[in-house]
Each structure stands twice: as structure tokens, then as C-alpha cells.
Amino acid sequence: MPKLNLFLNSNNSHISDSCELLRKEIALIRKEQTKALKLLLCNLCIHPNQSIRVSRRREGITSKRGNPLSVGSRSIISSLDALNAHGYIIQDIGSKLENKQTTIITTPKLIEWLHTNSWTEDDIEVFDGQYVKLRLNEDKRSSIDYEDTDYSRWLSGKLEDYSNLLNSSSLHLMDENDNLEKEYKNLTIARAFIKHKRHPINGEFLFGGRMAPPWVNLSKEARKRIIINGEPTVELDRPASHINAMYEVVTGKPYQDGYPYELFINDSLVPKHIVKNLASFMQGSKSPLGTAISVGNHYKREAAKPGAAAKDTFQYEQWLSYKKKVSTSIIIDSFLTKHSLVKDYYMRGKQYGDRIQCWESDIVFEVVIELVKRRIPVLTVYDSFIIQLRYSRLLNELMEDVKFTNRRRLESLA
């Protein structure tokens, strides 16, 4: 489900004229409301018949860097309410207590209005894209301002090159009958970093750093229906991405002795998913007990989801059964003994876990940079890549050959 994009606008006269007429019809008065109305309509035009997440928080939408049109939160709220009251959108207001966000969706009345006034996606453009974002650790919803560094300027340039390549490519999601379901256009691919209260000097961009483009919300099965430039695609994962990223940073190369999540205790193989989840949650926990609790909550949450897959239910039951036979502390100790070279980087708290995540994100982006140099579009899903089938061998080679590079310390970032 897309989030309201604050970087959409149109300077076409018929867009501005029709927006002004609609403003009068729905009784919006202030100039700021006109700006908000136009922003909402641009988003609704791009995502017809699709729910869009919006914020109704009155304390402000985002940072100056992340809100180039300076659209006020009150103007957004009044425009939403007016569009809803006049039947142009359906607004489902969220609830903080229920952890539910507000969503909006077009109605047939708005679809007809867009058609009558000749609004098309080609009329709308992305401007001043925010390629590098920073948010507080305590607030996942809002960006904050920051001072640019040599690294953030370099990274913004690389992300702009990447976004431009994708926007010059044909990115289509097909439905199960091989008809066009969605076209991805006007993309601004950003990396979102996390600001902690304490960090090294000039260390604002050391934590997090993942990319979250719209296709990450698709299921793995749905992503198989993405075609790039009219060609079928394949999704390939970085092998054991988290732990191999740690090894590459610490030792200069990935784990060298087989599969890192293969673990035997008393000659019995521990289920792979248990080892992977314990290793993953250890990166942000502070103790074996905290890790075990987090993993148990994860299994329980996945199994309780509406329409949960049979695999999720099976893994939860296997987790409950296995930990009665072998304690999680023994599994953790055995895993850390196997990975003695990186054991000191586990269970150092969330901030350090976010730093490890950034190592992984940096390596993923190094692969993207190499493919952009070759003008080969690639879509990322955290630690995996979607690419045209004919480039799968090249991608596998790059995933194996590309190394972690500490760009933040380079004197020249050319």
C-alpha cells in the first residue's frame, strides 16, 4: 500500500485550472488548501482504485527536506475531509490505539472527474526527490532534517542515477491472467537511515539505510509476475545475507566454511529457520533471554495472522516443540562458538543491530551501483534482487564478487 508522496506536482495549466474549480466546488478557501488538494489529487491520479496511506497528525507532516511544497498538515486534513464529504474519496480514518493508519481510495465519481478533466499520469512529475532520508529511532513515520555530508551528497547522486534508470525502463506488474495490473513510474528510490540519540561524530548515516520501493509490499508469488522491459524476471537472494555481511565487514570476505546457518547439536541438525531467526534477532537484542522472547513472539505473530501460510503454523509448532528438547541458550552458545570471528558483534542492542543492517544495505547497494553502470535495471527487496532472466548469471557473479566498501571514509567519492 503506497504512502502519500509529497514530491508530486504538475505545472500543466489544465491541471491547475480544474483543481481550482474543484476547490471552489468542495468549499476550500485558503491558498494552502489548494496546494494540499492538488497534491492529494496527483497521488490519487497515479494510484486509482488503490488505497493510499495518509497522516492526519496535526503536529506537522515531515521535515523541510521531506516536504518541499510546505504543505501543512491542517490543509491536508481539511482537503481530505472535503473530498470525502463530497463523495470523491472514501476515507478510512485510523486509530492510534489500534495502530491503524488512515487510508484513502478513489471513488467512481473521482475517476470520472479525472477522465473528464483529462488528468493522466503523464501530467504528473516527481520533483526534488529526497533520496537520502533520516528518521529518529523512536519515530518510524516521519523524516527529520540533517546537514549534508560528502557521503550523503555522493549517495544522493547515486540514488538519483538509479531512480532515473528505473524511470527510463518499463516496469510492469502483471495479473494472474497476464494483463497489466500496475506500472511503476515516477520513482524516487531512497535509502532511509535511523538517527539514534548517541552516535559517532558525523555518524548520522551509519544505521539502517534500507531501500523500501513499492514492490517490497508484494508477496513473493506476486513479485514473480513483474516484467522489466517486456522480459520475464527472476528474484535472487544474497546467500545468508545478514551473517555474510558481518563476515565481509569484519574479515573482508563472507563465511568460508559451508552454510553459516547449518548447526548440529549432539549430532542432530537444528531446524534452519530456528537458527536463522535466532541469529537475526541476536543482532538487536542484549541477551539470550531477550533473543528467545523476541523469536517466540515473532513465530506467534506470524502464525496468528489472518490467512497465515501453513509453513508459518508449522514453524511455530516446531519452535515450541524443539525448545523443549534443546534450550535456546544452548542453541545460541553453539551458534556463537561456530561463528567465533563475529560473535562479539551479537547482542549489543538495537543501535548496533541497526548498524549491522546498514552493512548489509551498503553491500546490496554496491551491487546496484555496478548494475547501474551497465545500464541494467534491477529491483531490490531488502537483501534480494529482481532482474531480467537473461542477466541472472551476471547478478550471481556480482553478488559473489562485490565487496563491502566503507564509502564514508573515502577522501574522494567520485
Side-chain angles (χ1 to χ4, degrees), residues 49-75:
N49 302 314
Q50 187 175 3
S51 294
I52 301 172
R53 292 179 289 127
V54 297
S55 172
R56 290 180 62 94
R57 294 193 299 168
R58 294 183 180 276
E59 61 268 29
I61 298 176
T62 184
S63 62
K64 292 180 181 178
R65 189 184 287 268
N67 185 11
L69 289 173
S70 298
V71 179
S73 58
R74 293 180 182 273
S75 296

PDB file of all heavy atoms in Angstrom, residues 49-75:
ATOM      1  N   ASN A  49      -8.104   3.530  -7.628  1.00  0.00           N
ATOM      2  CA  ASN A  49      -8.647   2.276  -7.077  1.00  0.00           C
ATOM      3  C   ASN A  49      -7.657   1.547  -6.174  1.00  0.00           C
ATOM      4  O   ASN A  49      -7.728   0.329  -6.005  1.00  0.00           O
ATOM      5  CB  ASN A  49      -9.105   1.338  -8.204  1.00  0.00           C
ATOM      6  CG  ASN A  49     -10.139   1.989  -9.091  1.00  0.00           C
ATOM      7  OD1 ASN A  49     -11.086   2.600  -8.615  1.00  0.00           O
ATOM      8  ND2 ASN A  49      -9.952   1.884 -10.401  1.00  0.00           N
ATOM      9  N   GLN A  50      -6.725   2.301  -5.590  1.00  0.00           N
ATOM     10  CA  GLN A  50      -5.743   1.694  -4.698  1.00  0.00           C
ATOM     11  C   GLN A  50      -5.671   2.520  -3.418  1.00  0.00           C
ATOM     12  O   GLN A  50      -5.594   3.746  -3.448  1.00  0.00           O
ATOM     13  CB  GLN A  50      -4.354   1.655  -5.360  1.00  0.00           C
ATOM     14  CG  GLN A  50      -3.315   0.895  -4.556  1.00  0.00           C
ATOM     15  CD  GLN A  50      -1.990   0.782  -5.290  1.00  0.00           C
ATOM     16  OE1 GLN A  50      -1.834   1.328  -6.382  1.00  0.00           O
ATOM     17  NE2 GLN A  50      -1.032   0.088  -4.712  1.00  0.00           N
ATOM     18  N   SER A  51      -5.694   1.864  -2.285  1.00  0.00           N
ATOM     19  CA  SER A  51      -5.627   2.570  -1.011  1.00  0.00           C
ATOM     20  C   SER A  51      -4.273   3.248  -0.849  1.00  0.00           C
ATOM     21  O   SER A  51      -3.231   2.682  -1.197  1.00  0.00           O
ATOM     22  CB  SER A  51      -5.873   1.609   0.156  1.00  0.00           C
ATOM     23  OG  SER A  51      -7.193   1.123   0.134  1.00  0.00           O
ATOM     24  N   ILE A  52      -4.295   4.454  -0.309  1.00  0.00           N
ATOM     25  CA  ILE A  52      -3.081   5.237  -0.060  1.00  0.00           C
ATOM     26  C   ILE A  52      -3.051   5.588   1.423  1.00  0.00           C
ATOM     27  O   ILE A  52      -4.040   6.043   1.991  1.00  0.00           O
ATOM     28  CB  ILE A  52      -3.072   6.535  -0.895  1.00  0.00           C
ATOM     29  CG1 ILE A  52      -3.141   6.217  -2.400  1.00  0.00           C
ATOM     30  CG2 ILE A  52      -1.826   7.370  -0.590  1.00  0.00           C
ATOM     31  CD1 ILE A  52      -3.321   7.450  -3.266  1.00  0.00           C
ATOM     32  N   ARG A  53      -1.919   5.371   2.064  1.00  0.00           N
ATOM     33  CA  ARG A  53      -1.765   5.725   3.475  1.00  0.00           C
ATOM     34  C   ARG A  53      -1.493   7.221   3.604  1.00  0.00           C
ATOM     35  O   ARG A  53      -0.636   7.760   2.909  1.00  0.00           O
ATOM     36  CB  ARG A  53      -0.619   4.947   4.111  1.00  0.00           C
ATOM     37  CG  ARG A  53      -0.890   3.457   4.243  1.00  0.00           C
ATOM     38  CD  ARG A  53       0.291   2.737   4.851  1.00  0.00           C
ATOM     39  NE  ARG A  53       1.425   2.678   3.927  1.00  0.00           N
ATOM     40  CZ  ARG A  53       2.650   3.076   4.215  1.00  0.00           C
ATOM     41  NH1 ARG A  53       2.916   3.601   5.396  1.00  0.00           N
ATOM     42  NH2 ARG A  53       3.622   2.973   3.334  1.00  0.00           N
ATOM     43  N   VAL A  54      -2.214   7.892   4.485  1.00  0.00           N
ATOM     44  CA  VAL A  54      -2.009   9.319   4.729  1.00  0.00           C
ATOM     45  C   VAL A  54      -1.933   9.559   6.234  1.00  0.00           C
ATOM     46  O   VAL A  54      -2.378   8.735   7.029  1.00  0.00           O
ATOM     47  CB  VAL A  54      -3.138  10.178   4.116  1.00  0.00           C
ATOM     48  CG1 VAL A  54      -3.179  10.036   2.613  1.00  0.00           C
ATOM     49  CG2 VAL A  54      -4.494   9.809   4.720  1.00  0.00           C
ATOM     50  N   SER A  55      -1.371  10.689   6.598  1.00  0.00           N
ATOM     51  CA  SER A  55      -1.265  11.064   8.003  1.00  0.00           C
ATOM     52  C   SER A  55      -2.243  12.184   8.321  1.00  0.00           C
ATOM     53  O   SER A  55      -2.373  13.136   7.556  1.00  0.00           O
ATOM     54  CB  SER A  55       0.168  11.528   8.321  1.00  0.00           C
ATOM     55  OG  SER A  55       0.238  12.057   9.632  1.00  0.00           O
ATOM     56  N   ARG A  56      -2.928  12.051   9.447  1.00  0.00           N
ATOM     57  CA  ARG A  56      -3.807  13.118   9.938  1.00  0.00           C
ATOM     58  C   ARG A  56      -3.232  13.752  11.212  1.00  0.00           C
ATOM     59  O   ARG A  56      -3.945  14.420  11.956  1.00  0.00           O
ATOM     60  CB  ARG A  56      -5.210  12.568  10.215  1.00  0.00           C
ATOM     61  CG  ARG A  56      -5.987  12.199   8.957  1.00  0.00           C
ATOM     62  CD  ARG A  56      -7.373  11.671   9.305  1.00  0.00           C
ATOM     63  NE  ARG A  56      -8.184  12.659   9.992  1.00  0.00           N
ATOM     64  CZ  ARG A  56      -9.038  13.487   9.391  1.00  0.00           C
ATOM     65  NH1 ARG A  56      -9.181  13.448   8.061  1.00  0.00           N
ATOM     66  NH2 ARG A  56      -9.748  14.343  10.096  1.00  0.00           N
ATOM     67  N   ARG A  57      -1.951  13.551  11.440  1.00  0.00           N
ATOM     68  CA  ARG A  57      -1.326  14.155  12.614  1.00  0.00           C
ATOM     69  C   ARG A  57      -1.225  15.658  12.432  1.00  0.00           C
ATOM     70  O   ARG A  57      -0.750  16.135  11.395  1.00  0.00           O
ATOM     71  CB  ARG A  57       0.058  13.561  12.853  1.00  0.00           C
ATOM     72  CG  ARG A  57       0.017  12.087  13.226  1.00  0.00           C
ATOM     73  CD  ARG A  57       1.348  11.624  13.757  1.00  0.00           C
ATOM     74  NE  ARG A  57       2.401  11.774  12.756  1.00  0.00           N
ATOM     75  CZ  ARG A  57       3.688  11.664  13.019  1.00  0.00           C
ATOM     76  NH1 ARG A  57       4.084  11.451  14.249  1.00  0.00           N
ATOM     77  NH2 ARG A  57       4.583  11.795  12.066  1.00  0.00           N
ATOM     78  N   ARG A  58      -1.621  16.413  13.438  1.00  0.00           N
ATOM     79  CA  ARG A  58      -1.672  17.873  13.325  1.00  0.00           C
ATOM     80  C   ARG A  58      -0.339  18.546  13.651  1.00  0.00           C
ATOM     81  O   ARG A  58      -0.176  19.739  13.397  1.00  0.00           O
ATOM     82  CB  ARG A  58      -2.756  18.435  14.258  1.00  0.00           C
ATOM     83  CG  ARG A  58      -4.161  18.023  13.834  1.00  0.00           C
ATOM     84  CD  ARG A  58      -5.207  18.663  14.724  1.00  0.00           C
ATOM     85  NE  ARG A  58      -6.560  18.269  14.329  1.00  0.00           N
ATOM     86  CZ  ARG A  58      -7.264  18.863  13.373  1.00  0.00           C
ATOM     87  NH1 ARG A  58      -6.742  19.893  12.716  1.00  0.00           N
ATOM     88  NH2 ARG A  58      -8.475  18.437  13.075  1.00  0.00           N
ATOM     89  N   GLU A  59       0.623  17.773  14.180  1.00  0.00           N
ATOM     90  CA  GLU A  59       1.863  18.423  14.596  1.00  0.00           C
ATOM     91  C   GLU A  59       2.850  18.621  13.457  1.00  0.00           C
ATOM     92  O   GLU A  59       3.978  19.022  13.660  1.00  0.00           O
ATOM     93  CB  GLU A  59       2.530  17.624  15.729  1.00  0.00           C
ATOM     94  CG  GLU A  59       2.908  16.197  15.356  1.00  0.00           C
ATOM     95  CD  GLU A  59       1.816  15.207  15.687  1.00  0.00           C
ATOM     96  OE1 GLU A  59       0.626  15.601  15.676  1.00  0.00           O
ATOM     97  OE2 GLU A  59       2.140  14.030  15.950  1.00  0.00           O
ATOM     98  N   GLY A  60       2.446  18.334  12.246  1.00  0.00           N
ATOM     99  CA  GLY A  60       3.335  18.534  11.108  1.00  0.00           C
ATOM    100  C   GLY A  60       3.546  17.240  10.354  1.00  0.00           C
ATOM    101  O   GLY A  60       3.524  16.162  10.928  1.00  0.00           O
ATOM    102  N   ILE A  61       3.767  17.349   9.039  1.00  0.00           N
ATOM    103  CA  ILE A  61       3.858  16.161   8.199  1.00  0.00           C
ATOM    104  C   ILE A  61       5.255  15.563   8.235  1.00  0.00           C
ATOM    105  O   ILE A  61       5.443  14.394   8.488  1.00  0.00           O
ATOM    106  CB  ILE A  61       3.465  16.504   6.748  1.00  0.00           C
ATOM    107  CG1 ILE A  61       2.016  16.977   6.720  1.00  0.00           C
ATOM    108  CG2 ILE A  61       3.650  15.308   5.839  1.00  0.00           C
ATOM    109  CD1 ILE A  61       1.556  17.434   5.365  1.00  0.00           C
ATOM    110  N   THR A  62       6.249  16.376   7.995  1.00  0.00           N
ATOM    111  CA  THR A  62       7.598  15.850   7.862  1.00  0.00           C
ATOM    112  C   THR A  62       8.586  16.992   7.931  1.00  0.00           C
ATOM    113  O   THR A  62       8.224  18.125   8.241  1.00  0.00           O
ATOM    114  CB  THR A  62       7.739  15.063   6.531  1.00  0.00           C
ATOM    115  OG1 THR A  62       9.041  14.475   6.472  1.00  0.00           O
ATOM    116  CG2 THR A  62       7.543  15.966   5.335  1.00  0.00           C
ATOM    117  N   SER A  63       9.836  16.724   7.671  1.00  0.00           N
ATOM    118  CA  SER A  63      10.869  17.745   7.713  1.00  0.00           C
ATOM    119  C   SER A  63      10.770  18.670   6.500  1.00  0.00           C
ATOM    120  O   SER A  63      10.072  18.387   5.526  1.00  0.00           O
ATOM    121  CB  SER A  63      12.246  17.071   7.726  1.00  0.00           C
ATOM    122  OG  SER A  63      12.418  16.333   6.525  1.00  0.00           O
ATOM    123  N   LYS A  64      11.479  19.800   6.558  1.00  0.00           N
ATOM    124  CA  LYS A  64      11.513  20.708   5.410  1.00  0.00           C
ATOM    125  C   LYS A  64      12.078  19.995   4.188  1.00  0.00           C
ATOM    126  O   LYS A  64      11.603  20.173   3.073  1.00  0.00           O
ATOM    127  CB  LYS A  64      12.366  21.940   5.741  1.00  0.00           C
ATOM    128  CG  LYS A  64      11.760  22.846   6.790  1.00  0.00           C
ATOM    129  CD  LYS A  64      12.667  24.033   7.065  1.00  0.00           C
ATOM    130  CE  LYS A  64      12.063  24.942   8.133  1.00  0.00           C
ATOM    131  NZ  LYS A  64      12.965  26.090   8.439  1.00  0.00           N
ATOM    132  N   ARG A  65      13.093  19.206   4.414  1.00  0.00           N
ATOM    133  CA  ARG A  65      13.714  18.470   3.309  1.00  0.00           C
ATOM    134  C   ARG A  65      12.736  17.473   2.700  1.00  0.00           C
ATOM    135  O   ARG A  65      12.767  17.215   1.498  1.00  0.00           O
ATOM    136  CB  ARG A  65      14.950  17.736   3.838  1.00  0.00           C
ATOM    137  CG  ARG A  65      15.830  17.107   2.782  1.00  0.00           C
ATOM    138  CD  ARG A  65      16.945  16.330   3.462  1.00  0.00           C
ATOM    139  NE  ARG A  65      17.947  17.189   4.054  1.00  0.00           N
ATOM    140  CZ  ARG A  65      19.046  17.596   3.428  1.00  0.00           C
ATOM    141  NH1 ARG A  65      19.275  17.221   2.183  1.00  0.00           N
ATOM    142  NH2 ARG A  65      19.922  18.353   4.038  1.00  0.00           N
ATOM    143  N   GLY A  66      11.852  16.933   3.532  1.00  0.00           N
ATOM    144  CA  GLY A  66      10.918  15.925   3.049  1.00  0.00           C
ATOM    145  C   GLY A  66       9.568  16.471   2.647  1.00  0.00           C
ATOM    146  O   GLY A  66       8.673  15.700   2.296  1.00  0.00           O
ATOM    147  N   ASN A  67       9.390  17.794   2.707  1.00  0.00           N
ATOM    148  CA  ASN A  67       8.106  18.407   2.360  1.00  0.00           C
ATOM    149  C   ASN A  67       8.365  19.674   1.543  1.00  0.00           C
ATOM    150  O   ASN A  67       8.130  20.797   1.999  1.00  0.00           O
ATOM    151  CB  ASN A  67       7.325  18.738   3.642  1.00  0.00           C
ATOM    152  CG  ASN A  67       5.932  19.271   3.368  1.00  0.00           C
ATOM    153  OD1 ASN A  67       5.440  19.228   2.249  1.00  0.00           O
ATOM    154  ND2 ASN A  67       5.294  19.795   4.404  1.00  0.00           N
ATOM    155  N   PRO A  68       8.884  19.517   0.316  1.00  0.00           N
ATOM    156  CA  PRO A  68       9.338  20.680  -0.463  1.00  0.00           C
ATOM    157  C   PRO A  68       8.231  21.659  -0.823  1.00  0.00           C
ATOM    158  O   PRO A  68       8.509  22.829  -1.078  1.00  0.00           O
ATOM    159  CB  PRO A  68       9.951  20.041  -1.718  1.00  0.00           C
ATOM    160  CG  PRO A  68       9.302  18.700  -1.824  1.00  0.00           C
ATOM    161  CD  PRO A  68       9.082  18.258  -0.419  1.00  0.00           C
ATOM    162  N   LEU A  69       6.979  21.211  -0.862  1.00  0.00           N
ATOM    163  CA  LEU A  69       5.873  22.120  -1.175  1.00  0.00           C
ATOM    164  C   LEU A  69       5.369  22.855   0.066  1.00  0.00           C
ATOM    165  O   LEU A  69       4.511  23.738  -0.046  1.00  0.00           O
ATOM    166  CB  LEU A  69       4.710  21.344  -1.800  1.00  0.00           C
ATOM    167  CG  LEU A  69       4.924  20.829  -3.224  1.00  0.00           C
ATOM    168  CD1 LEU A  69       3.757  19.936  -3.631  1.00  0.00           C
ATOM    169  CD2 LEU A  69       5.075  21.983  -4.200  1.00  0.00           C
ATOM    170  N   SER A  70       5.920  22.491   1.233  1.00  0.00           N
ATOM    171  CA  SER A  70       5.488  23.081   2.502  1.00  0.00           C
ATOM    172  C   SER A  70       3.970  22.974   2.672  1.00  0.00           C
ATOM    173  O   SER A  70       3.289  23.936   3.036  1.00  0.00           O
ATOM    174  CB  SER A  70       5.932  24.553   2.592  1.00  0.00           C
ATOM    175  OG  SER A  70       7.339  24.657   2.547  1.00  0.00           O
ATOM    176  N   VAL A  71       3.449  21.801   2.408  1.00  0.00           N
ATOM    177  CA  VAL A  71       2.020  21.557   2.580  1.00  0.00           C
ATOM    178  C   VAL A  71       1.752  21.299   4.060  1.00  0.00           C
ATOM    179  O   VAL A  71       2.354  20.418   4.671  1.00  0.00           O
ATOM    180  CB  VAL A  71       1.563  20.353   1.738  1.00  0.00           C
ATOM    181  CG1 VAL A  71       0.076  20.091   1.948  1.00  0.00           C
ATOM    182  CG2 VAL A  71       1.848  20.602   0.272  1.00  0.00           C
ATOM    183  N   GLY A  72       0.842  22.079   4.644  1.00  0.00           N
ATOM    184  CA  GLY A  72       0.563  21.958   6.063  1.00  0.00           C
ATOM    185  C   GLY A  72      -0.336  20.785   6.389  1.00  0.00           C
ATOM    186  O   GLY A  72      -1.190  20.381   5.587  1.00  0.00           O
ATOM    187  N   SER A  73      -0.159  20.237   7.586  1.00  0.00           N
ATOM    188  CA  SER A  73      -0.965  19.082   7.986  1.00  0.00           C
ATOM    189  C   SER A  73      -2.443  19.448   8.085  1.00  0.00           C
ATOM    190  O   SER A  73      -3.309  18.646   7.735  1.00  0.00           O
ATOM    191  CB  SER A  73      -0.456  18.537   9.319  1.00  0.00           C
ATOM    192  OG  SER A  73      -0.494  19.538  10.316  1.00  0.00           O
ATOM    193  N   ARG A  74      -2.761  20.644   8.568  1.00  0.00           N
ATOM    194  CA  ARG A  74      -4.160  21.040   8.685  1.00  0.00           C
ATOM    195  C   ARG A  74      -4.813  21.172   7.308  1.00  0.00           C
ATOM    196  O   ARG A  74      -6.005  20.866   7.138  1.00  0.00           O
ATOM    197  CB  ARG A  74      -4.275  22.348   9.469  1.00  0.00           C
ATOM    198  CG  ARG A  74      -3.878  22.203  10.928  1.00  0.00           C
ATOM    199  CD  ARG A  74      -3.993  23.515  11.683  1.00  0.00           C
ATOM    200  NE  ARG A  74      -3.556  23.365  13.066  1.00  0.00           N
ATOM    201  CZ  ARG A  74      -4.339  22.970  14.052  1.00  0.00           C
ATOM    202  NH1 ARG A  74      -5.616  22.697  13.818  1.00  0.00           N
ATOM    203  NH2 ARG A  74      -3.865  22.852  15.276  1.00  0.00           N
ATOM    204  N   SER A  75      -4.052  21.656   6.325  1.00  0.00           N
ATOM    205  CA  SER A  75      -4.582  21.769   4.964  1.00  0.00           C
ATOM    206  C   SER A  75      -4.847  20.390   4.369  1.00  0.00           C
ATOM    207  O   SER A  75      -5.836  20.182   3.653  1.00  0.00           O
ATOM    208  CB  SER A  75      -3.615  22.554   4.073  1.00  0.00           C
ATOM    209  OG  SER A  75      -3.475  23.885   4.521  1.00  0.00           O
TER     210      SER A  75
END
